[in-house]
Amino acid sequence: MAGIACYVLFLLISLPARLLTAALPGEQVATSGISGTVWHGRIDRLTVARVPIRELTWRLSPSALLGGRASLKLDGQLPGGEFAGRVSVSLGQTVR
């Protein structure tokens, strides 16, 4: 049983970042150059509603998941300059 639990944990830790694109609405979102894992990854080019974002990187906080929310540290480049920040979503769908 412990072997199965370790295997499942390994699968969760190594989930590829490209799985995230399946959750994005395809009509207004285009991506290319996806690498890394869902925990720490990069998208070379992301376009959302015709707004280009370059070199988007993220890091998902495992400790926030224990508290019932997803917290991402984001960095990237917009046409007007660079940005960095955090986005958090709770189980109740509250975005901060």
Side-chain angles (χ1 to χ4, degrees), residues 68-80:
R69 61 187 171 86
S71 179
L72 291 167
K73 180 180 180 282
L74 299 171
D75 296 286
Q77 295 180 5
L78 292 168

Side-chain angles (χ1 to χ4, degrees), residues 3 19 39 58 73 76:
L19 291 178
W39 303 97
W58 68 88
K73 180 180 180 282

Side-chain angles (χ1 to χ4, degrees), residues 46-53 78-79:
L46 171 67
T47 303
V48 179
R50 297 188 210 159
V51 176
I53 302 170
L78 292 168

Side-chain angles (χ1 to χ4, degrees), residues 31-34 41-46 54-58:
T31 61
S32 68
I34 301 168
R42 175 185 169 116
I43 299 176
D44 290 335
R45 293 183 183 152
L46 171 67
R54 306 272 186 220
E55 300 176 18
L56 177 67
T57 61
W58 68 88

